[in-house]
Amino acid sequence: MTQLPLFSPLLWSVSDLTRYLRDVLESDETLQDLWVQGEVSNLSRPVSGHLYFTLKDSASALKCVMWRNAVIRLPFALRDGQAVEVHGSLSIYEAAGQYQLYADVIRPAGEG
């Protein structure tokens, strides 16, 4: 016979859990000032002027976004297959429930 728990477990909505996880990521100082190295793939340049891309290595991939105000300071043309080092902060895009790197600086790998 199974015994019922004394207290019912906390039941989260998807939105509440995603918002909580975003807050956890954004409160971690290490994740708000980090450099990540990888190869650019799936680069997209919509008319908004933002850049969307995936940073990948041999085992993992990380979605990234760079807002237009940072893109205009980019001193080179980013391209698929390029090895780069990306500075930014980690957060969650709540609408998709996806963690991503919000990039503010990108440099060719090995330049720093």
Side-chain angles (χ1 to χ4, degrees), residues 1-8:
M1 175 184 221
T2 0
Q3 186 173 349
L4 295 174
L6 293 176
F7 302 98
S8 54

Side-chain angles (χ1 to χ4, degrees), residues 65-80:
V65 60
M66 182 178 237
W67 303 127
R68 183 172 50 98
N69 63 341
V71 173
I72 60 176
R73 296 188 314 265
L74 198 58
F76 62 96
L78 195 63
R79 66 185 195 291
D80 279 326

Side-chain angles (χ1 to χ4, degrees), residues 7-73:
F7 302 98
S8 54
L10 180 60
L11 183 62
W12 295 76
S13 71
V14 172
S15 296
D16 289 342
L17 178 58
T18 303
R19 191 171 306 109
Y20 175 80
L21 291 172
R22 186 199 67 203
D23 292 345
V24 168
L25 290 177
E26 290 180 356
S27 66
D28 185 323
E29 290 181 25
T30 300
L31 299 177
Q32 297 309 300
D33 181 19
L34 53 100
W35 283 95
V36 182
Q37 182 174 329
E39 180 182 307
V40 175
S41 67
N42 302 315
L43 180 62
S44 172
R45 293 182 176 95
V47 295
S48 62
H50 308 316
L51 288 180
Y52 297 93
F53 59 98
T54 301
L55 199 58
K56 64 180 187 170
D57 62 21
S58 61
S60 296
L62 173 62
K63 297 286 188 181
C64 303
V65 60
M66 182 178 237
W67 303 127
R68 183 172 50 98
N69 63 341
V71 173
I72 60 176
R73 296 188 314 265

